[in-house]
Each structure stands twice: as structure tokens, then as C-alpha cells.
Amino acid sequence: MKDSYWILSSKNSNYETLNKNEQTDCLIVGSGIVGLTTAYLLAKENREVIIIDANTVGGGSSGRNTGKVTSQHGLIYNAISKKHSPKKARMYYDANEEGMKLVEDIINEHNISCDLKKVPSFVYTLDENYIKDIKNEYETCKELKIPCDYYDHINGIPLDVKGALCFKEQIQFHPKKYIDQLAKINKDLGVKIYENTSAIDIEVAEKCVIKTDKGYSIECNNLIIASSNPWYDGLRLYFAKEEASRSYLICTKLKEKILDGNYINVEEPRRTFRNYEDESGERYLIIGGQDHKTGKCDNEGESYDIIEDYAKNNFKVGEVISKWSAQDYLPYDEVPYIGRINSKENNIYIVTGTNKWGLSNGSIGAKIITDLITKNSSEYEELYNPSRVKSYLNSKFIESSVEMAYDYIKGKINSGDDRLPQKDEGKTITINGERYGAYRDAKGYLYIVDITCTHLGCELRFNSAEKSWDCPCHGSRFNYKGEILNGPALKPLKLYGEGENHIDPKIF
């Protein structure tokens, strides 16, 4: 994967790989914003904590976002009011404000240097047809007593804004600097952190046992799955109740200052942007969009070009510093799943479906999980309850289930090419009547893998931008060598000649 500007401009700390069996009170799988914040809060409650991550600290979505921490999530409050209730919409605001404040408090208490800045957050439109939607959101917010302002233009940015909703006193920062320093604080509190350590199996009991890819195990009283998408399902079918979505971002030098703020539009194509100034005073524009369902784009590489053209046509920018993508999970009823994985297994907790707003939702998610473990209750427990009925009793869930079935069948009947790929090309091929994925790198080395997804058996599609094999059904991703990039899959792809992939959804 291409590294984000945040990852490239931060100093990474290396943590060891698990090389022995362990026991702990709380085991957290995932070292992003959710995992590290949960560990921090639990450690302050004198709980013994271990964190493991299949990759590196902050190397996933937490280090690949825009760095916006805000309770302004697009047109969210009108949607939650209609799908749930006005009371829960207000509760969602309170929760995300608390999540944002938690971030600020941690930064201030520990003097974390991460370029924190107070800014307004805007949701806007350049299309008069969408003014009514923003005004409806404004009216909903006023009814919920959420502080906000409506503008018919925004001074200070070079866009012809037709309407905008503004939340003041929001924040932005350098997410990777925050995460790296929070990891060090955790270590000082006694938290053990293991990188490059993948969970591949689980024994569910009063004490859960997690097995890792290197053959070691960790026994724990409480398991927190903080890895974006739950790789253990607990019979709740989370992979079917949220959509895996990919988005693309670039960082470019900004030649002319714009109004400090977090910005996102309403219409398609979606555009999200913010400005950033580093310690030397150099200004940058972080801008992205081109969202699509994972495995549902024919030429991902064009997304970067489209965003770059948009930036050049609308802002005074210089050279592009970096390009990267991110994967998020979108719940079909707008509210993330945070809490106990089901009503039976009271010692397994999840945070997933943060709806592209993981920095605020993830931070309050850490507080919710900590309260459930230490107090057995949370004021936000009902709102985010992973077992809520409305998470699957909605039209989006039904439409998605039909689409997944279609993608599964279509993938099985489509035949592959009988020609091998050229350099830096990937495609589906047929060998002796069987489908495989083939990619030839720039040096001419050929990689052939079984492209049946190891999660539930859907057929993978090649991602031309990331040189990966992506699942259109549930969002699992693998690099061209067959190694896992995103879950919920737990097993890598097998190379040609090694036999068929092992399908293991870990539903039970």
C-alpha cells in the first residue's frame, strides 16, 4: 500500500513480535485509535493490557485518514433522527463531542506534539439542488439544540459554495504523531505492545484464548477487537451489516492559504479536504474522495488523477507529496457497532462501522468499552449496541445481501484470461479450467494466487492502484503475494501449486 503523508512524516517506533505465550486481563487486537485509547483508559484503571497488531502501530486506517476530529459528520443528525429517534441523534452528538474532548484532554495532559488546532467544521454544497438537504440538517440540529450556523457562502476558500452548515470549536491534528506518542504513553503505563502479530484463531470461553500466526497464544479475561472489521463474528453477521468502502487522498503543497477548517461536501463525487501546516510553517492541502465499495472499481489508479486535477483546478497548489488510500466500514443504519459482541459472550467487545469518522467515534468507543469492562455499563451502551435490531431491519441491509449474492455467483461463473499479464499488470487467468489471480511486477516476476476469498469464498478482483486482490462481498483484501491487508479474512491466499484456499469465516 502507498504510505500516507502522516506515516511518511512521522517517526515510527518499533515494537517486538510476540515470541511466547502470554496471559493478561485485557487483550486488544488492533493498535489504531480505538486500541491505543482503550488500552490507555484501561491501564489508568490498573488493568493489565496487551495489544497485538498484524502490522504496525497506526499503520491502518488510523494513520491513513484526514486527521479531522469532529462531531460534524455530514448530514448525520437528520438521518439518525429518522432511522432511530431525535433522542438518539442528540446522544450521538454528545458521544462524539466527548470523544473529541477525550482526544484533547490526552494531548494536553501529556503534552503530545501533534499539531493540534481548533477549527470549524463545514458540510457544504456547490449545487443548488442540495441546499435544501443542508437546511434540513440545520433545522434538525437546532431542534436537537446542537450549536451550529448556516451560511450561504464561505469566505476564505476558492469554491462557489451555495450553502453550508458549520460546527465551531472542532479540531484537527497529525493523527500518526498522536498515535505514536499515545503508544509510548501506553508502554510507560505497563501496556505490552506486539507488532506483526496476527490473530488467526480463537477459543471462546470464560477466559478466551487467541492463537497467533507464529504459533503462540494469549489467554485473556476480556477480548477487545479493535481491528476495523471484526474477524470473529459471534454469530452477529457484522460483515453483512456494514459496507467496506475505499477512499483516496493526496497531500499537495498549498501555495495560497485557505480558511482553517475541516470541509466535506454533500453531493457526488464526494470531496473532503483540510489544510495543514507543519512545524516549519510549510502549508499543505489534504484532499480526497472518489469513494467506492471495496472491489467495485474498474480502475482505482484514476481516482488519484481525478483528485489531483480537482485540487489543481480549484486551489493554488504545488507538487503532490504523497498519495494513499484508506478503507472504512459503513453501518447500514448510520450508527457504529460498539459494545459486547453479542448478548451471550460478555467478555468480547468490538468497535466497528465507525462510518469514516473513526477518530471521534473510535475515541468514544474506547471510553464505552472501558466503562463496560470496569463498571458493567455505559451511558451510550444502548445507542451503539451491536445487537440492535435496526442494524439489519432496513432496506440497505436487504439490498446489500442481494448484491453480495450476485457478486458471489458472478465471480464463480466468469472465466479468466488465457494469457499471462504483462509487467505491472494484474488479472484473472484460467489454468487447467481453474481461476487464479496473476500479477507480474515491474521486474518481470510473476505471482499467481488462488483468488477465492478465505473469508466466505467470494471471488476477488484486482485493484490496479494498490496491486491487491479485493473482495467485493465483505471487503477483505490481500496483496499480490496473498498476504492479508484487510479483514475480516484470517487466512492468506495460497500460491499456485499449494492447493486450494481454506475458507474460514469464524462466524461461530
PDB file of all heavy atoms in Angstrom, residues 15-20 22 27-31 50-56 193-200 210-218 227 231:
ATOM      1  N   TYR A  15       8.102  -2.112  17.713  1.00  0.00           N
ATOM      2  CA  TYR A  15       7.736  -2.955  18.843  1.00  0.00           C
ATOM      3  C   TYR A  15       7.971  -4.405  18.454  1.00  0.00           C
ATOM      4  O   TYR A  15       7.845  -4.779  17.285  1.00  0.00           O
ATOM      5  CB  TYR A  15       6.271  -2.724  19.235  1.00  0.00           C
ATOM      6  CG  TYR A  15       6.021  -1.320  19.748  1.00  0.00           C
ATOM      7  CD1 TYR A  15       5.652  -0.296  18.865  1.00  0.00           C
ATOM      8  CD2 TYR A  15       6.185  -1.006  21.085  1.00  0.00           C
ATOM      9  CE1 TYR A  15       5.441   0.998  19.323  1.00  0.00           C
ATOM     10  CE2 TYR A  15       5.971   0.282  21.551  1.00  0.00           C
ATOM     11  CZ  TYR A  15       5.601   1.283  20.662  1.00  0.00           C
ATOM     12  OH  TYR A  15       5.411   2.570  21.125  1.00  0.00           O
ATOM     13  N   GLU A  16       8.312  -5.213  19.421  1.00  0.00           N
ATOM     14  CA  GLU A  16       8.669  -6.595  19.136  1.00  0.00           C
ATOM     15  C   GLU A  16       7.467  -7.424  18.685  1.00  0.00           C
ATOM     16  O   GLU A  16       6.312  -7.034  18.893  1.00  0.00           O
ATOM     17  CB  GLU A  16       9.297  -7.237  20.375  1.00  0.00           C
ATOM     18  CG  GLU A  16       8.364  -7.326  21.575  1.00  0.00           C
ATOM     19  CD  GLU A  16       9.041  -7.928  22.789  1.00  0.00           C
ATOM     20  OE1 GLU A  16       9.791  -8.910  22.615  1.00  0.00           O
ATOM     21  OE2 GLU A  16       8.818  -7.423  23.904  1.00  0.00           O
ATOM     22  N   THR A  17       7.761  -8.548  18.060  1.00  0.00           N
ATOM     23  CA  THR A  17       6.743  -9.521  17.670  1.00  0.00           C
ATOM     24  C   THR A  17       6.582 -10.522  18.802  1.00  0.00           C
ATOM     25  O   THR A  17       7.567 -10.894  19.454  1.00  0.00           O
ATOM     26  CB  THR A  17       7.172 -10.238  16.376  1.00  0.00           C
ATOM     27  OG1 THR A  17       7.310  -9.268  15.339  1.00  0.00           O
ATOM     28  CG2 THR A  17       6.136 -11.270  15.958  1.00  0.00           C
ATOM     29  N   LEU A  18       5.342 -10.934  19.053  1.00  0.00           N
ATOM     30  CA  LEU A  18       5.099 -11.908  20.124  1.00  0.00           C
ATOM     31  C   LEU A  18       5.908 -13.171  19.881  1.00  0.00           C
ATOM     32  O   LEU A  18       5.840 -13.771  18.808  1.00  0.00           O
ATOM     33  CB  LEU A  18       3.601 -12.252  20.182  1.00  0.00           C
ATOM     34  CG  LEU A  18       3.186 -13.213  21.301  1.00  0.00           C
ATOM     35  CD1 LEU A  18       3.304 -12.545  22.665  1.00  0.00           C
ATOM     36  CD2 LEU A  18       1.756 -13.711  21.087  1.00  0.00           C
ATOM     37  N   ASN A  19       6.698 -13.588  20.880  1.00  0.00           N
ATOM     38  CA  ASN A  19       7.538 -14.786  20.738  1.00  0.00           C
ATOM     39  C   ASN A  19       7.405 -15.752  21.910  1.00  0.00           C
ATOM     40  O   ASN A  19       8.295 -16.549  22.182  1.00  0.00           O
ATOM     41  CB  ASN A  19       9.001 -14.381  20.561  1.00  0.00           C
ATOM     42  CG  ASN A  19       9.528 -13.558  21.736  1.00  0.00           C
ATOM     43  OD1 ASN A  19       8.836 -13.388  22.744  1.00  0.00           O
ATOM     44  ND2 ASN A  19      10.739 -13.047  21.605  1.00  0.00           N
ATOM     45  N   LYS A  20       6.247 -15.646  22.620  1.00  0.00           N
ATOM     46  CA  LYS A  20       5.987 -16.546  23.744  1.00  0.00           C
ATOM     47  C   LYS A  20       4.488 -16.533  24.043  1.00  0.00           C
ATOM     48  O   LYS A  20       3.757 -15.656  23.590  1.00  0.00           O
ATOM     49  CB  LYS A  20       6.771 -16.092  24.978  1.00  0.00           C
ATOM     50  CG  LYS A  20       6.394 -14.693  25.443  1.00  0.00           C
ATOM     51  CD  LYS A  20       7.210 -14.256  26.646  1.00  0.00           C
ATOM     52  CE  LYS A  20       6.846 -12.828  27.055  1.00  0.00           C
ATOM     53  NZ  LYS A  20       7.611 -12.365  28.230  1.00  0.00           N
ATOM     54  N   GLU A  22       1.298 -15.837  26.385  1.00  0.00           N
ATOM     55  CA  GLU A  22       1.035 -14.778  27.356  1.00  0.00           C
ATOM     56  C   GLU A  22      -0.316 -14.981  28.024  1.00  0.00           C
ATOM     57  O   GLU A  22      -1.203 -15.665  27.483  1.00  0.00           O
ATOM     58  CB  GLU A  22       1.039 -13.406  26.670  1.00  0.00           C
ATOM     59  CG  GLU A  22       2.401 -12.889  26.271  1.00  0.00           C
ATOM     60  CD  GLU A  22       3.043 -12.065  27.375  1.00  0.00           C
ATOM     61  OE1 GLU A  22       2.650 -12.228  28.552  1.00  0.00           O
ATOM     62  OE2 GLU A  22       3.929 -11.245  27.054  1.00  0.00           O
ATOM     63  N   LEU A  27      -6.964  -8.197  26.438  1.00  0.00           N
ATOM     64  CA  LEU A  27      -6.225  -8.290  25.185  1.00  0.00           C
ATOM     65  C   LEU A  27      -6.935  -7.449  24.135  1.00  0.00           C
ATOM     66  O   LEU A  27      -8.134  -7.608  23.917  1.00  0.00           O
ATOM     67  CB  LEU A  27      -6.137  -9.742  24.708  1.00  0.00           C
ATOM     68  CG  LEU A  27      -5.555  -9.939  23.298  1.00  0.00           C
ATOM     69  CD1 LEU A  27      -4.119  -9.448  23.217  1.00  0.00           C
ATOM     70  CD2 LEU A  27      -5.662 -11.397  22.872  1.00  0.00           C
ATOM     71  N   ILE A  28      -6.189  -6.565  23.488  1.00  0.00           N
ATOM     72  CA  ILE A  28      -6.734  -5.707  22.442  1.00  0.00           C
ATOM     73  C   ILE A  28      -6.083  -6.082  21.125  1.00  0.00           C
ATOM     74  O   ILE A  28      -4.848  -6.110  21.018  1.00  0.00           O
ATOM     75  CB  ILE A  28      -6.473  -4.221  22.753  1.00  0.00           C
ATOM     76  CG1 ILE A  28      -7.142  -3.836  24.072  1.00  0.00           C
ATOM     77  CG2 ILE A  28      -6.973  -3.336  21.617  1.00  0.00           C
ATOM     78  CD1 ILE A  28      -6.790  -2.450  24.572  1.00  0.00           C
ATOM     79  N   VAL A  29      -6.897  -6.383  20.128  1.00  0.00           N
ATOM     80  CA  VAL A  29      -6.386  -6.706  18.791  1.00  0.00           C
ATOM     81  C   VAL A  29      -6.594  -5.478  17.909  1.00  0.00           C
ATOM     82  O   VAL A  29      -7.714  -5.135  17.550  1.00  0.00           O
ATOM     83  CB  VAL A  29      -7.100  -7.933  18.199  1.00  0.00           C
ATOM     84  CG1 VAL A  29      -6.512  -8.257  16.820  1.00  0.00           C
ATOM     85  CG2 VAL A  29      -6.957  -9.141  19.127  1.00  0.00           C
ATOM     86  N   GLY A  30      -5.499  -4.807  17.581  1.00  0.00           N
ATOM     87  CA  GLY A  30      -5.551  -3.586  16.792  1.00  0.00           C
ATOM     88  C   GLY A  30      -4.902  -2.433  17.532  1.00  0.00           C
ATOM     89  O   GLY A  30      -5.239  -2.158  18.690  1.00  0.00           O
ATOM     90  N   SER A  31      -3.937  -1.764  16.875  1.00  0.00           N
ATOM     91  CA  SER A  31      -3.202  -0.685  17.540  1.00  0.00           C
ATOM     92  C   SER A  31      -3.434   0.660  16.856  1.00  0.00           C
ATOM     93  O   SER A  31      -2.517   1.457  16.694  1.00  0.00           O
ATOM     94  CB  SER A  31      -1.698  -0.996  17.543  1.00  0.00           C
ATOM     95  OG  SER A  31      -1.178  -1.054  16.223  1.00  0.00           O
ATOM     96  N   ILE A  50      -2.582  -6.102  27.027  1.00  0.00           N
ATOM     97  CA  ILE A  50      -1.691  -6.429  25.921  1.00  0.00           C
ATOM     98  C   ILE A  50      -2.370  -5.987  24.628  1.00  0.00           C
ATOM     99  O   ILE A  50      -3.584  -6.173  24.456  1.00  0.00           O
ATOM    100  CB  ILE A  50      -1.382  -7.940  25.852  1.00  0.00           C
ATOM    101  CG1 ILE A  50      -0.495  -8.368  27.024  1.00  0.00           C
ATOM    102  CG2 ILE A  50      -0.706  -8.317  24.528  1.00  0.00           C
ATOM    103  CD1 ILE A  50      -0.226  -9.864  27.078  1.00  0.00           C
ATOM    104  N   ILE A  51      -1.595  -5.385  23.719  1.00  0.00           N
ATOM    105  CA  ILE A  51      -2.081  -5.043  22.382  1.00  0.00           C
ATOM    106  C   ILE A  51      -1.292  -5.854  21.368  1.00  0.00           C
ATOM    107  O   ILE A  51      -0.065  -5.948  21.453  1.00  0.00           O
ATOM    108  CB  ILE A  51      -1.879  -3.549  22.063  1.00  0.00           C
ATOM    109  CG1 ILE A  51      -2.612  -2.667  23.063  1.00  0.00           C
ATOM    110  CG2 ILE A  51      -2.346  -3.232  20.643  1.00  0.00           C
ATOM    111  CD1 ILE A  51      -2.338  -1.171  22.860  1.00  0.00           C
ATOM    112  N   ILE A  52      -1.992  -6.451  20.399  1.00  0.00           N
ATOM    113  CA  ILE A  52      -1.311  -7.065  19.262  1.00  0.00           C
ATOM    114  C   ILE A  52      -1.850  -6.436  17.975  1.00  0.00           C
ATOM    115  O   ILE A  52      -2.987  -5.989  17.921  1.00  0.00           O
ATOM    116  CB  ILE A  52      -1.474  -8.598  19.208  1.00  0.00           C
ATOM    117  CG1 ILE A  52      -2.937  -9.003  18.997  1.00  0.00           C
ATOM    118  CG2 ILE A  52      -0.905  -9.244  20.462  1.00  0.00           C
ATOM    119  CD1 ILE A  52      -3.127 -10.502  18.733  1.00  0.00           C
ATOM    120  N   ASP A  53      -1.000  -6.402  16.958  1.00  0.00           N
ATOM    121  CA  ASP A  53      -1.405  -5.866  15.662  1.00  0.00           C
ATOM    122  C   ASP A  53      -0.751  -6.685  14.570  1.00  0.00           C
ATOM    123  O   ASP A  53       0.433  -7.032  14.670  1.00  0.00           O
ATOM    124  CB  ASP A  53      -1.002  -4.397  15.531  1.00  0.00           C
ATOM    125  CG  ASP A  53      -1.727  -3.699  14.391  1.00  0.00           C
ATOM    126  OD1 ASP A  53      -1.462  -4.056  13.220  1.00  0.00           O
ATOM    127  OD2 ASP A  53      -2.544  -2.808  14.660  1.00  0.00           O
ATOM    128  N   ALA A  54      -1.518  -6.983  13.534  1.00  0.00           N
ATOM    129  CA  ALA A  54      -0.990  -7.764  12.421  1.00  0.00           C
ATOM    130  C   ALA A  54       0.092  -7.010  11.671  1.00  0.00           C
ATOM    131  O   ALA A  54       0.946  -7.623  11.020  1.00  0.00           O
ATOM    132  CB  ALA A  54      -2.113  -8.149  11.464  1.00  0.00           C
ATOM    133  N   ASN A  55       0.069  -5.681  11.774  1.00  0.00           N
ATOM    134  CA  ASN A  55       1.059  -4.863  11.080  1.00  0.00           C
ATOM    135  C   ASN A  55       1.814  -4.005  12.089  1.00  0.00           C
ATOM    136  O   ASN A  55       2.451  -4.527  12.973  1.00  0.00           O
ATOM    137  CB  ASN A  55       0.374  -4.044   9.989  1.00  0.00           C
ATOM    138  CG  ASN A  55      -0.255  -4.921   8.929  1.00  0.00           C
ATOM    139  OD1 ASN A  55       0.443  -5.669   8.266  1.00  0.00           O
ATOM    140  ND2 ASN A  55      -1.575  -4.862   8.773  1.00  0.00           N
ATOM    141  N   THR A  56       1.749  -2.695  11.945  1.00  0.00           N
ATOM    142  CA  THR A  56       2.477  -1.800  12.835  1.00  0.00           C
ATOM    143  C   THR A  56       1.532  -0.798  13.482  1.00  0.00           C
ATOM    144  O   THR A  56       0.413  -0.577  13.009  1.00  0.00           O
ATOM    145  CB  THR A  56       3.571  -1.036  12.066  1.00  0.00           C
ATOM    146  OG1 THR A  56       2.955  -0.308  10.992  1.00  0.00           O
ATOM    147  CG2 THR A  56       4.605  -2.001  11.494  1.00  0.00           C
ATOM    148  N   ILE A 193       2.957  -4.092  23.911  1.00  0.00           N
ATOM    149  CA  ILE A 193       2.548  -3.913  22.523  1.00  0.00           C
ATOM    150  C   ILE A 193       3.373  -4.834  21.639  1.00  0.00           C
ATOM    151  O   ILE A 193       4.601  -4.811  21.690  1.00  0.00           O
ATOM    152  CB  ILE A 193       2.733  -2.451  22.069  1.00  0.00           C
ATOM    153  CG1 ILE A 193       1.906  -1.512  22.957  1.00  0.00           C
ATOM    154  CG2 ILE A 193       2.330  -2.286  20.601  1.00  0.00           C
ATOM    155  CD1 ILE A 193       2.128  -0.032  22.656  1.00  0.00           C
ATOM    156  N   TYR A 194       2.669  -5.630  20.834  1.00  0.00           N
ATOM    157  CA  TYR A 194       3.346  -6.537  19.910  1.00  0.00           C
ATOM    158  C   TYR A 194       2.885  -6.230  18.483  1.00  0.00           C
ATOM    159  O   TYR A 194       1.700  -6.291  18.180  1.00  0.00           O
ATOM    160  CB  TYR A 194       3.021  -7.999  20.240  1.00  0.00           C
ATOM    161  CG  TYR A 194       3.536  -8.460  21.586  1.00  0.00           C
ATOM    162  CD1 TYR A 194       2.660  -8.620  22.664  1.00  0.00           C
ATOM    163  CD2 TYR A 194       4.886  -8.740  21.780  1.00  0.00           C
ATOM    164  CE1 TYR A 194       3.117  -9.056  23.897  1.00  0.00           C
ATOM    165  CE2 TYR A 194       5.355  -9.168  23.011  1.00  0.00           C
ATOM    166  CZ  TYR A 194       4.472  -9.325  24.070  1.00  0.00           C
ATOM    167  OH  TYR A 194       4.931  -9.749  25.292  1.00  0.00           O
ATOM    168  N   GLU A 195       3.838  -5.894  17.614  1.00  0.00           N
ATOM    169  CA  GLU A 195       3.542  -5.661  16.211  1.00  0.00           C
ATOM    170  C   GLU A 195       3.781  -6.932  15.404  1.00  0.00           C
ATOM    171  O   GLU A 195       4.375  -7.898  15.886  1.00  0.00           O
ATOM    172  CB  GLU A 195       4.431  -4.543  15.661  1.00  0.00           C
ATOM    173  CG  GLU A 195       4.146  -3.179  16.254  1.00  0.00           C
ATOM    174  CD  GLU A 195       5.032  -2.097  15.650  1.00  0.00           C
ATOM    175  OE1 GLU A 195       6.209  -2.387  15.315  1.00  0.00           O
ATOM    176  OE2 GLU A 195       4.541  -0.966  15.514  1.00  0.00           O
ATOM    177  N   ASN A 196       3.304  -6.910  14.142  1.00  0.00           N
ATOM    178  CA  ASN A 196       3.489  -8.041  13.227  1.00  0.00           C
ATOM    179  C   ASN A 196       3.090  -9.365  13.874  1.00  0.00           C
ATOM    180  O   ASN A 196       3.749 -10.389  13.720  1.00  0.00           O
ATOM    181  CB  ASN A 196       4.944  -8.092  12.748  1.00  0.00           C
ATOM    182  CG  ASN A 196       5.337  -6.819  12.026  1.00  0.00           C
ATOM    183  OD1 ASN A 196       4.682  -6.407  11.068  1.00  0.00           O
ATOM    184  ND2 ASN A 196       6.389  -6.160  12.498  1.00  0.00           N
ATOM    185  N   THR A 197       1.986  -9.304  14.592  1.00  0.00           N
ATOM    186  CA  THR A 197       1.454 -10.468  15.310  1.00  0.00           C
ATOM    187  C   THR A 197      -0.026 -10.601  14.965  1.00  0.00           C
ATOM    188  O   THR A 197      -0.848  -9.797  15.413  1.00  0.00           O
ATOM    189  CB  THR A 197       1.635 -10.300  16.832  1.00  0.00           C
ATOM    190  OG1 THR A 197       3.026 -10.154  17.133  1.00  0.00           O
ATOM    191  CG2 THR A 197       1.075 -11.493  17.579  1.00  0.00           C
ATOM    192  N   SER A 198      -0.366 -11.588  14.161  1.00  0.00           N
ATOM    193  CA  SER A 198      -1.736 -11.742  13.662  1.00  0.00           C
ATOM    194  C   SER A 198      -2.519 -12.747  14.490  1.00  0.00           C
ATOM    195  O   SER A 198      -2.021 -13.839  14.805  1.00  0.00           O
ATOM    196  CB  SER A 198      -1.718 -12.221  12.204  1.00  0.00           C
ATOM    197  OG  SER A 198      -1.089 -11.286  11.374  1.00  0.00           O
ATOM    198  N   ALA A 199      -3.756 -12.384  14.835  1.00  0.00           N
ATOM    199  CA  ALA A 199      -4.686 -13.338  15.437  1.00  0.00           C
ATOM    200  C   ALA A 199      -5.270 -14.196  14.320  1.00  0.00           C
ATOM    201  O   ALA A 199      -5.750 -13.660  13.319  1.00  0.00           O
ATOM    202  CB  ALA A 199      -5.797 -12.608  16.173  1.00  0.00           C
ATOM    203  N   ILE A 200      -5.190 -15.503  14.460  1.00  0.00           N
ATOM    204  CA  ILE A 200      -5.703 -16.392  13.404  1.00  0.00           C
ATOM    205  C   ILE A 200      -6.766 -17.357  13.905  1.00  0.00           C
ATOM    206  O   ILE A 200      -7.422 -18.011  13.110  1.00  0.00           O
ATOM    207  CB  ILE A 200      -4.567 -17.179  12.733  1.00  0.00           C
ATOM    208  CG1 ILE A 200      -3.864 -18.103  13.748  1.00  0.00           C
ATOM    209  CG2 ILE A 200      -3.574 -16.246  12.066  1.00  0.00           C
ATOM    210  CD1 ILE A 200      -2.924 -19.094  13.107  1.00  0.00           C
ATOM    211  N   ILE A 210      -6.522 -16.570  22.308  1.00  0.00           N
ATOM    212  CA  ILE A 210      -6.254 -16.137  20.943  1.00  0.00           C
ATOM    213  C   ILE A 210      -4.982 -16.812  20.460  1.00  0.00           C
ATOM    214  O   ILE A 210      -3.948 -16.771  21.128  1.00  0.00           O
ATOM    215  CB  ILE A 210      -6.077 -14.606  20.872  1.00  0.00           C
ATOM    216  CG1 ILE A 210      -7.323 -13.906  21.378  1.00  0.00           C
ATOM    217  CG2 ILE A 210      -5.758 -14.169  19.442  1.00  0.00           C
ATOM    218  CD1 ILE A 210      -8.583 -14.257  20.639  1.00  0.00           C
ATOM    219  N   LYS A 211      -5.064 -17.447  19.303  1.00  0.00           N
ATOM    220  CA  LYS A 211      -3.890 -18.081  18.706  1.00  0.00           C
ATOM    221  C   LYS A 211      -3.343 -17.160  17.622  1.00  0.00           C
ATOM    222  O   LYS A 211      -4.100 -16.553  16.867  1.00  0.00           O
ATOM    223  CB  LYS A 211      -4.269 -19.442  18.140  1.00  0.00           C
ATOM    224  CG  LYS A 211      -4.755 -20.415  19.218  1.00  0.00           C
ATOM    225  CD  LYS A 211      -5.152 -21.761  18.634  1.00  0.00           C
ATOM    226  CE  LYS A 211      -5.661 -22.699  19.726  1.00  0.00           C
ATOM    227  NZ  LYS A 211      -6.096 -24.011  19.176  1.00  0.00           N
ATOM    228  N   THR A 212      -2.016 -17.082  17.529  1.00  0.00           N
ATOM    229  CA  THR A 212      -1.383 -16.177  16.577  1.00  0.00           C
ATOM    230  C   THR A 212      -0.703 -16.944  15.455  1.00  0.00           C
ATOM    231  O   THR A 212      -0.527 -18.165  15.521  1.00  0.00           O
ATOM    232  CB  THR A 212      -0.353 -15.280  17.277  1.00  0.00           C
ATOM    233  OG1 THR A 212       0.775 -16.064  17.670  1.00  0.00           O
ATOM    234  CG2 THR A 212      -0.961 -14.611  18.503  1.00  0.00           C
ATOM    235  N   ASP A 213      -0.306 -16.181  14.438  1.00  0.00           N
ATOM    236  CA  ASP A 213       0.261 -16.785  13.238  1.00  0.00           C
ATOM    237  C   ASP A 213       1.620 -17.445  13.471  1.00  0.00           C
ATOM    238  O   ASP A 213       2.045 -18.291  12.696  1.00  0.00           O
ATOM    239  CB  ASP A 213       0.398 -15.742  12.131  1.00  0.00           C
ATOM    240  CG  ASP A 213       1.208 -14.527  12.554  1.00  0.00           C
ATOM    241  OD1 ASP A 213       1.255 -14.226  13.765  1.00  0.00           O
ATOM    242  OD2 ASP A 213       1.786 -13.862  11.673  1.00  0.00           O
ATOM    243  N   LYS A 214       2.308 -17.064  14.548  1.00  0.00           N
ATOM    244  CA  LYS A 214       3.621 -17.658  14.830  1.00  0.00           C
ATOM    245  C   LYS A 214       3.525 -18.864  15.764  1.00  0.00           C
ATOM    246  O   LYS A 214       4.543 -19.397  16.207  1.00  0.00           O
ATOM    247  CB  LYS A 214       4.547 -16.610  15.451  1.00  0.00           C
ATOM    248  CG  LYS A 214       4.788 -15.364  14.591  1.00  0.00           C
ATOM    249  CD  LYS A 214       5.504 -15.687  13.302  1.00  0.00           C
ATOM    250  CE  LYS A 214       5.974 -14.434  12.576  1.00  0.00           C
ATOM    251  NZ  LYS A 214       4.889 -13.509  12.196  1.00  0.00           N
ATOM    252  N   GLY A 215       2.297 -19.281  16.088  1.00  0.00           N
ATOM    253  CA  GLY A 215       2.111 -20.474  16.907  1.00  0.00           C
ATOM    254  C   GLY A 215       2.004 -20.229  18.395  1.00  0.00           C
ATOM    255  O   GLY A 215       1.939 -21.183  19.182  1.00  0.00           O
ATOM    256  N   TYR A 216       1.955 -18.958  18.808  1.00  0.00           N
ATOM    257  CA  TYR A 216       1.821 -18.635  20.232  1.00  0.00           C
ATOM    258  C   TYR A 216       0.365 -18.306  20.549  1.00  0.00           C
ATOM    259  O   TYR A 216      -0.456 -18.104  19.653  1.00  0.00           O
ATOM    260  CB  TYR A 216       2.729 -17.461  20.600  1.00  0.00           C
ATOM    261  CG  TYR A 216       4.183 -17.751  20.336  1.00  0.00           C
ATOM    262  CD1 TYR A 216       4.832 -17.191  19.243  1.00  0.00           C
ATOM    263  CD2 TYR A 216       4.901 -18.611  21.165  1.00  0.00           C
ATOM    264  CE1 TYR A 216       6.170 -17.468  18.976  1.00  0.00           C
ATOM    265  CE2 TYR A 216       6.240 -18.898  20.908  1.00  0.00           C
ATOM    266  CZ  TYR A 216       6.865 -18.326  19.816  1.00  0.00           C
ATOM    267  OH  TYR A 216       8.175 -18.616  19.555  1.00  0.00           O
ATOM    268  N   SER A 217       0.050 -18.245  21.836  1.00  0.00           N
ATOM    269  CA  SER A 217      -1.323 -17.960  22.256  1.00  0.00           C
ATOM    270  C   SER A 217      -1.323 -16.948  23.393  1.00  0.00           C
ATOM    271  O   SER A 217      -0.332 -16.803  24.128  1.00  0.00           O
ATOM    272  CB  SER A 217      -2.029 -19.244  22.698  1.00  0.00           C
ATOM    273  OG  SER A 217      -1.390 -19.806  23.838  1.00  0.00           O
ATOM    274  N   ILE A 218      -2.464 -16.255  23.522  1.00  0.00           N
ATOM    275  CA  ILE A 218      -2.662 -15.301  24.610  1.00  0.00           C
ATOM    276  C   ILE A 218      -4.002 -15.605  25.264  1.00  0.00           C
ATOM    277  O   ILE A 218      -5.036 -15.608  24.597  1.00  0.00           O
ATOM    278  CB  ILE A 218      -2.659 -13.845  24.107  1.00  0.00           C
ATOM    279  CG1 ILE A 218      -1.382 -13.545  23.314  1.00  0.00           C
ATOM    280  CG2 ILE A 218      -2.788 -12.884  25.283  1.00  0.00           C
ATOM    281  CD1 ILE A 218      -1.384 -12.171  22.673  1.00  0.00           C
ATOM    282  N   SER A 227      -9.921  -3.913  15.346  1.00  0.00           N
ATOM    283  CA  SER A 227      -9.218  -4.030  14.063  1.00  0.00           C
ATOM    284  C   SER A 227     -10.108  -3.643  12.882  1.00  0.00           C
ATOM    285  O   SER A 227     -10.117  -4.330  11.864  1.00  0.00           O
ATOM    286  CB  SER A 227      -8.703  -5.458  13.885  1.00  0.00           C
ATOM    287  OG  SER A 227      -9.741  -6.400  14.102  1.00  0.00           O
ATOM    288  N   TRP A 231     -12.898  -9.855  13.000  1.00  0.00           N
ATOM    289  CA  TRP A 231     -12.504 -11.125  12.382  1.00  0.00           C
ATOM    290  C   TRP A 231     -13.154 -12.309  13.067  1.00  0.00           C
ATOM    291  O   TRP A 231     -13.204 -13.396  12.506  1.00  0.00           O
ATOM    292  CB  TRP A 231     -10.982 -11.271  12.410  1.00  0.00           C
ATOM    293  CG  TRP A 231     -10.370 -10.855  13.704  1.00  0.00           C
ATOM    294  CD1 TRP A 231      -9.874  -9.626  14.009  1.00  0.00           C
ATOM    295  CD2 TRP A 231     -10.234 -11.646  14.890  1.00  0.00           C
ATOM    296  NE1 TRP A 231      -9.431  -9.595  15.314  1.00  0.00           N
ATOM    297  CE2 TRP A 231      -9.637 -10.826  15.868  1.00  0.00           C
ATOM    298  CE3 TRP A 231     -10.546 -12.968  15.221  1.00  0.00           C
ATOM    299  CZ2 TRP A 231      -9.349 -11.285  17.151  1.00  0.00           C
ATOM    300  CZ3 TRP A 231     -10.267 -13.426  16.493  1.00  0.00           C
ATOM    301  CH2 TRP A 231      -9.677 -12.589  17.444  1.00  0.00           C
TER     302      TRP A 231
END
